[in-house]
Amino acid sequence: MSKLFFPVLLSLIIGSSELCAQTRISSPKSIDDKVSELMSKMTLEEKVGQLNQYTGERLATGPVTANSTKYEDIKAGRVGSMLNVRGAKDTREVQALAMQSRLKIPLLFGLDVVHGYRVTFPIPLAEAASWDIPAIEGAARIAAEEASASGIHWTFAPMIDISRDPRWGRVMEGAGEDPYLGSIISSARVKGFQGKGLGTLDAIMACAKHFAAYGAALAGRDYNSVDMSERMLHEVYLPPFKAAMDAGVATFMNAFNDLNGIPATGSSYLQRDILKDSWKFPGFIVSDWGSIKEMVPHGYAKDNREAARLAIQAGSDMDMESHSYLPYLADLVKKGEVEERLIDDAVRRILTKKFEMGLFDDPYRFSNEAREKKTLNSAKNKEAARKMAEKSIVLLKNEGQILPLSKNAKKIAVIGPLGKSKEDMKGFWSVKWDDDDLVSLYEGLQKKVGAGSRIEYAMGCTISDTSRAGFADAIETAKRSDVVIMAVGETFDMSGEGNSRANIGLPGVQEELIKAIQATGKPVVVLVMAGRPLIFNWTSEHVPAIMYTWWLGSEAGHAMANVLFGDYNPAGKLPMTFPRSEGQIPLFYSYKNTGRPPLNENDRRYRSIYLDLPNTPRYAFGYGLSYTQFALSDLKLTKNSIHSSDSIVVSCTIRNTGKYAGEEVVQLYLQDMFASVTRPLKELKDFKKVMLQPGESKKLQFVINKDKLAFYDQQMNWTTEPGEFNLMLGTSSDKISLERKFQLIN
Ligand code: GLC
């Protein structure tokens, strides 16, 4: 090789790299670099401003603190986010104030878009009853399309608190009692809200809330303390949050409750050890409304200044309406009581999301009135809401096949305090509109039946008071009819936040009204409209047809009418156990056997029973009927014993043995027969929802791998142990029709 070769080659290499350097088109700065560059210009006060969130007045969703400097604060860069400001016009106006600040850092606009924005979908617990994951994701997607067209960047949803206590009013917001179903729904809702990713114009940031274990409030009383084992926390209450995290959720919200003595807002175990360190969560945590300052009444902080210190040190990045970060954090840093790096970390997390949302490119990109007008309240969205509502309805009883009703029914009586209600159909967490166009049951029926049919309405009684003055008229109305449809339950504000009930029976004298109408001898169908499982034992035992219709949103009436007349065959399954009595609560399907399980219903001495009630629920988790019937058969396992690295393919056949096309949810449960800690008698590990024509059969397959066999052992290691498992297939947690044991060898 000539002596000249290498020097020439070397000069060529150096030359080309210099040439590149001179002509290099500067690669676009990363968001991290942009954040660093912006933060380098920020004063400490401006950084603290980013951690401060205020509410709009008109739509406040918590106890409001008088705040005369709000808009001045925004102009001075002392506010990072607003909640409860909505609409392209209003958000644009408020954003314009932020653009007057020195660094023009845009605001984030957050709102509780929990089950729909302009078109209201069924409450989340109702949607969970559909077990239709694509539909649930689609509902969140539509909510995001509407909200993002209306200036909203961020929804405080999904609420993914597992709860096994229907006295707690916020069960209506979640996905029920089961961590497996709750995790799948959590992931679907996050994906629905965030769509193709932050920065796309129809995506909004989701918020996994309330972190954590808020649904286990003592005695079902909202905001109450929570005490539980680390195993229960990790096995039951955290999985939906991990699912949200794995789905890429942009933000978390902490919780009002204290957990094992530490308020969630001040818990570095939850917010730093688990979420930010172990799970490596890159987003930011917003406090719940006032939850930072509420550490004072919790008896955990002596004043708001200490609460601010405790919260930022624990990892609560943004202060929602505690008015504690803005007045105290800078001083805490200057006095050396809080390290500035904690502020910097929180600011970086928040600014990163603002860059990801494209707000620095265009702070008004979501506040476009033309797009808002085009996107909101479309017929397509309403149709989707109606379909979601139909899927959410649970048929609890249909004795004598009263349902579906004949379209030739000539005289229909609608009786009960919710028969013509529109407002209650929207549920507790709907976005409030002056011109809401919700469809009542009565209107839905009117639209459904032909001109030849007559529909008469009698309220009979109100929801809550004890007057029976309307009974006589209701009875006469029933006597003039061929069939009676009763609409009973709760008002929309008897569930939801701050609305716990110690007695979860049908309020007022509604069940007496049902008895009086039943006594007429007319065929009676009872529709229960509520945000939580209610107790209605007499009705359950005496009325032939019962449907649970929750609060179904904008298209409630059309959905109920379609199901009542068989244009949609109900397929909903309960996502929560329905107790016979408050005395049984907490009551859930995945209970443990105890050392003294009753061997049968006559086994009554020294057994884990009640003297006055069966242990069983009124209606079980996973229960729901159809107008048709289904049969499961041919259970097969590819192996009867596996190593933990193996998997088993489970198959079965499902057949529609009835005369209507319909959907069924086949549920797969597992029991670990013996382990180093006691294990539940059954746990949901998979399910499939399938449509079958009359007489049609389909083969279903499930895969069992070690993840479905794992649990937390005595040392809280997530592990599997060799031993025997029982596999169960059924159409409800209490309707198991196929089962088979298999072995895990190691
Ligand atoms: C409420 C709720 C929370 C909601 C927030 C903002 O108090 O606890 O779920 O997102 O305040 O409305």
Side-chain angles (χ1 to χ4, degrees):
M1 181 95 41
S2 91
K3 285 181 187 163
L4 278 179
F5 177 74
F6 281 109
V8 169
L9 178 64
L10 195 58
S11 66
L12 281 174
I13 291 169
I14 292 168
S16 62
S17 62
E18 276 169 359
L19 183 64
C20 279
Q22 284 152 21
T23 55
R24 189 196 323 275
I25 298 157
S26 61
S27 57
K29 282 197 191 83
S30 71
I31 285 182
D32 214 31
D33 292 344
K34 290 176 185 173
V35 171
S36 300
E37 184 179 2
L38 176 54
M39 286 180 68
S40 67
K41 301 171 189 165
M42 295 172 75
T43 64
L44 175 58
E45 285 68 20
E46 285 167 332
K47 289 179 186 175
V48 169
Q50 287 302 302
L51 314 188
N52 179 37
Q53 181 186 61
Y54 287 149
T55 182
E57 297 79 16
R58 198 164 62 86
L59 300 166
T61 48
V64 174
T65 304
N67 184 353
S68 58
T69 65
K70 183 178 305 183
Y71 298 106
E72 289 313 309
D73 285 339
I74 293 174
K75 284 191 278 191
R78 292 192 289 264
V79 183
S81 168
M82 289 292 288
L83 76 149
N84 297 330
V85 175
R86 70 158 201 254
K89 181 174 177 298
D90 288 2
T91 54
R92 179 176 285 272
E93 284 172 6
V94 176
Q95 190 71 283
L97 299 178
M99 291 304 109
Q100 294 179 33
S101 64
R102 184 176 76 88
L103 293 169
K104 299 184 184 349
I105 299 175
L107 295 168
L108 280 172
F109 290 106
L111 188 74
D112 293 279
V113 184
V114 178
H115 52 104
Y117 178 70
R118 185 68 180 88
V119 171
T120 301
F121 278 73
I123 59 172
L125 190 62
E127 288 188 356
S130 74
W131 294 52
D132 186 328
I133 302 312
I136 291 171
E137 180 172 342
R141 184 85 295 273
I142 287 171
E145 286 166 358
E146 291 198 332
S148 61
S150 206
I152 301 304
H153 305 138
W154 178 23
T155 177
F156 305 125
M159 184 275 215
I160 49 182
D161 299 303
I162 294 293
S163 184
R164 295 160 162 188
D165 191 332
R167 294 172 295 181
W168 189 55
R170 299 196 75 164
V171 295
M172 53 76 56
E173 282 178 77
E177 71 184 55
D178 182 70
Y180 179 82
L181 180 62
S183 298
I184 289 179
I185 289 174
S186 164
S187 176
R189 285 185 170 142
V190 168
K191 290 171 183 169
F193 287 130
Q194 299 188 168
K196 295 186 179 65
L198 304 190
T200 48
L201 208 46
D202 65 0
I204 56 177
M205 297 197 304
C207 182
K209 74 181 186 182
H210 305 80
F211 196 62
Y214 179 33
L218 208 55
R221 203 172 76 233
D222 207 352
Y223 315 118
N224 206 354
S225 292
V226 174
D227 269 288
M228 69 173 64
S229 69
E230 197 183 1
R231 174 170 292 103
M232 176 66 82
L233 176 68
H234 283 267
E235 261 178 13
V236 175
Y237 292 86
L238 291 184
F241 288 98
K242 185 63 171 54
M245 162 80 206
D246 294 342
V249 72
T251 66
F252 268 60
M253 181 184 290
N254 56 40
F256 291 120
N257 58 285
D258 57 330
L259 173 61
N260 300 335
I262 311 291
T265 304
S267 169
S268 53
Y269 171 64
L270 287 174
Q271 298 172 112
R272 292 197 184 281
D273 299 351
I274 293 177
L275 186 54
K276 293 179 175 178
D277 297 347
S278 171
W279 293 359
K280 306 264 180 287
F281 175 60
F284 69 86
I285 302 170
V286 63
S287 78
D288 202 342
W289 183 296
S291 66
I292 292 173
K293 68 181 178 185
E294 288 175 6
M295 289 200 280
V296 176
H298 268 297
Y300 189 71
K302 67 177 185 305
D303 56 29
N304 281 12
R305 186 176 189 277
E306 184 180 29
R309 176 179 65 76
L310 292 168
I312 195 72
Q313 287 175 337
S316 180
D317 298 304
M318 185 181 280
D319 168 0
M320 178 194 286
E321 276 295 325
S322 277
H323 303 260
S324 298
Y325 277 8
L326 190 63
Y328 300 114
L329 273 189
D331 182 57
L332 283 161
V333 170
K334 288 169 185 164
K335 290 196 168 63
E337 297 173 62
V338 165
E339 293 176 83
E340 187 161 359
R341 68 177 181 80
L342 299 183
I343 311 292
D344 288 346
D345 176 62
V347 172
R348 176 172 295 279
R349 290 170 180 268
I350 292 164
L351 291 179
T352 297
K353 289 296 169 237
K354 293 185 177 183
F355 275 107
E356 288 175 2
M357 289 295 288
L359 292 174
F360 282 95
D361 300 329
D362 175 3
Y364 305 106
R365 65 193 297 255
F366 293 88
S367 303
N368 176 321
E369 290 187 67
R371 177 168 163 251
E372 181 179 51
K373 188 170 172 46
K374 185 162 61 72
T375 310
L376 268 53
N377 216 19
S378 68
K380 173 179 79 65
N381 292 354
K382 287 182 181 177
E383 185 190 13
R386 176 182 55 73
K387 288 180 175 175
M388 187 77 250
E390 289 165 351
K391 292 169 183 279
S392 304
I393 291 172
V394 183
L395 178 59
L396 297 177
K397 192 175 177 185
N398 189 19
E399 228 161 50
Q401 301 300 310
I402 285 188
L403 294 171
L405 300 178
S406 158
K407 290 197 178 98
N408 301 324
K410 294 298 175 213
K411 292 174 280 181
I412 299 169
V414 175
I415 294 175
L418 290 167
K420 285 193 170 182
S421 170
K422 290 167 173 277
E423 181 183 40
D424 297 305
M425 299 305 104
K426 64 186 179 185
F428 180 86
W429 274 111
S430 61
V431 179
K432 309 292 177 276
W433 300 96
D434 299 334
D435 57 344
D436 239 337
D437 51 354
L438 300 140
V439 181
S440 69
L441 169 65
Y442 186 79
E443 287 172 325
L445 291 169
Q446 276 184 314
K447 182 111 172 16
K448 173 59 73 182
V449 298
S453 301
R454 188 191 71 215
I455 302 178
E456 274 194 85
Y457 175 69
M459 180 184 275
C461 66
T462 66
I463 291 278
S464 300
D465 76 35
T466 57
S467 165
R468 295 161 181 76
F471 276 34
D473 175 43
I475 291 166
E476 289 312 307
T477 303
K479 285 180 178 172
R480 291 194 295 270
S481 74
D482 299 327
V483 63
V484 182
I485 299 171
M486 296 196 73
V488 297
E490 293 180 316
T491 54
F492 77 93
D493 55 3
M494 294 178 84
S495 285
E497 183 179 350
N499 295 326
S500 297
R501 292 175 59 201
N503 167 355
I504 54 171
L506 282 173
V509 293
Q510 296 181 73
E511 196 151 43
E512 283 186 43
L513 177 65
I514 295 170
K515 282 180 190 172
I517 300 302
Q518 176 75 357
T520 65
K522 294 290 182 180
V524 177
V525 180
V526 171
L527 273 55
V528 183
M529 304 173 183
R532 57 158 47 97
L534 293 181
I535 294 171
F536 42 96
N537 291 317
W538 188 91
T539 300
S540 299
E541 288 159 13
H542 296 87
V543 172
I546 305 170
M547 277 187 187
Y548 220 74
T549 63
W550 317 98
W551 292 316
L552 292 173
S554 301
E555 295 293 297
H558 295 319
M560 288 186 272
N562 284 347
V563 170
L564 284 165
F565 284 94
D567 289 334
Y568 182 85
N569 184 356
K573 299 283 184 179
L574 297 178
M576 262 189 97
T577 299
F578 279 50
R580 299 170 189 270
S581 158
E582 295 84 355
Q584 294 178 299
I585 295 172
L587 183 66
F588 48 96
Y589 84 91
S590 54
Y591 59 90
K592 297 188 176 179
N593 206 25
T594 77
R596 294 202 174 179
L599 305 180
N600 55 54
E601 59 188 23
N602 302 317
D603 185 8
R604 315 253 330 132
R605 292 300 295 144
Y606 304 116
R607 292 292 165 193
S608 180
I609 59 165
Y610 300 103
L611 292 180
D612 53 353
L613 267 182
N615 288 359
T616 53
R618 169 59 65 189
Y619 300 110
F621 171 85
Y623 173 78
L625 300 176
S626 167
Y627 292 149
T628 190
Q629 293 74 41
F630 299 92
L632 297 184
S633 61
D634 299 331
L635 172 59
K636 290 189 175 63
L637 279 62
T638 50
K639 300 168 189 165
N640 291 319
S641 61
I642 54 168
H643 296 276
S644 58
S645 55
D646 288 347
S647 58
I648 297 177
V649 176
V650 180
S651 63
C652 74
T653 300
I654 179 170
R655 185 161 179 276
N656 181 342
T657 58
K659 60 181 184 176
Y660 290 95
E663 293 172 289
E664 181 56 289
V665 179
V666 178
Q667 301 152 42
L668 185 149
Y669 296 90
L670 287 181
Q671 178 186 6
D672 187 344
M673 304 303 286
F674 303 95
S676 59
V677 294
T678 53
R679 308 285 299 123
L681 282 174
K682 60 170 72 87
E683 293 176 291
L684 182 70
K685 294 294 183 183
D686 205 339
F687 64 87
K688 285 191 184 335
K689 184 167 186 176
V690 60
M691 164 60 85
L692 291 168
Q693 296 305 316
E696 184 184 9
S697 295
K698 280 184 183 169
K699 183 175 178 181
L700 301 180
Q701 285 198 336
F702 306 88
V703 177
I704 303 294
N705 56 30
K706 74 173 187 178
D707 284 348
K708 293 187 187 290
L709 308 178
F711 66 100
Y712 287 97
D713 67 10
Q714 290 184 15
Q715 289 70 43
M716 282 301 291
N717 300 312
W718 180 250
T719 184
T720 55
E721 290 176 355
E724 188 174 58
F725 288 80
N726 189 30
L727 177 143
M728 295 159 269
L729 284 176
T731 56
S732 170
S733 60
D734 68 345
K735 287 191 175 13
I736 299 299
S737 42
L738 302 171
E739 53 188 305
R740 182 76 50 79
K741 294 217 171 38
F742 66 89
Q743 294 288 334
L744 176 62
I745 300 165
N746 64 6

